[in-house]
Amino acid sequence: SRWVDWNDLVEPLVEYVSPWMGTVFFLYTSFAMLCVMNVVMATFVQNATERAAEVHEAHKVFQAGRLFETLDSDSKGTITLDEIERNLQSPAVQDFFKSIDVDVKEARILFDMLDADDSGEIEFSEFISGCMRLQGPSKAIDLVLVMREIREALAVLKPGAQKGELA
C-alpha cells in the first residue's frame, strides 16, 4: 500500500532514540493535525459569516423595498414627507427606522437627506441607496446631514466665487 503506518514511523524513535521521542512525536503530530483542522474550520466559519452578512444585507434591501411600497400610498413610484409622517406610527415604519439606527423623530432629517435632488419626493433608488448608506453602529444620519449641509453651503458660495466676490 502507498500509506505509511504510524507504528513504522514511531517504532525506530522509541527503540533507537528514546521512548520519550515516541511521546514527543505523538504530541507534535496531534498538535499539527489540530492546527490544520483549526485552519479548515476557520475558513468555513469565515465563509459562513460572510454569507450571513450578505443575506442580512439583502434582507434589509428587501425590507426597504417593502416599506417603500407601503409608504407610496398613491403608487406614483415616489414617496413624500407627508406619506412618511402619516405612517410613522405603523410598526413596519418603526421597525425599519430601528433597523437602520434612526429615531422616528428624525423622519424629517432622513427625508431631507434622502431627497438628494430636493424635489420634495424620494424615488425608489434614492430611498434604497440612502437607507443602505445609513447602516452601521454609529449615527451615520448625523454625518450624512452634515455632508448635505456642506453641499448646500458650497452651492450658495459657488455663485459668489464665479462672480469674483470671494477671495
Side-chain angles (χ1 to χ4, degrees), residues 92-112:
V93 172
Q94 291 185 1
D95 289 344
F96 182 74
F97 274 62
K98 186 177 181 181
S99 76
I100 61 171
D101 295 325
V102 174
D103 190 345
V104 177
K105 296 172 191 163
E106 297 173 331
R108 172 74 180 182
I109 296 170
L110 178 65
F111 182 85
D112 288 342

Side-chain angles (χ1 to χ4, degrees), residues 119-133:
S119 64
E121 298 178 328
I122 301 173
E123 296 175 2
F124 181 73
S125 60
E126 288 177 314
F127 184 74
I128 294 294
S129 67
C131 288
M132 292 304 105
R133 283 185 303 189

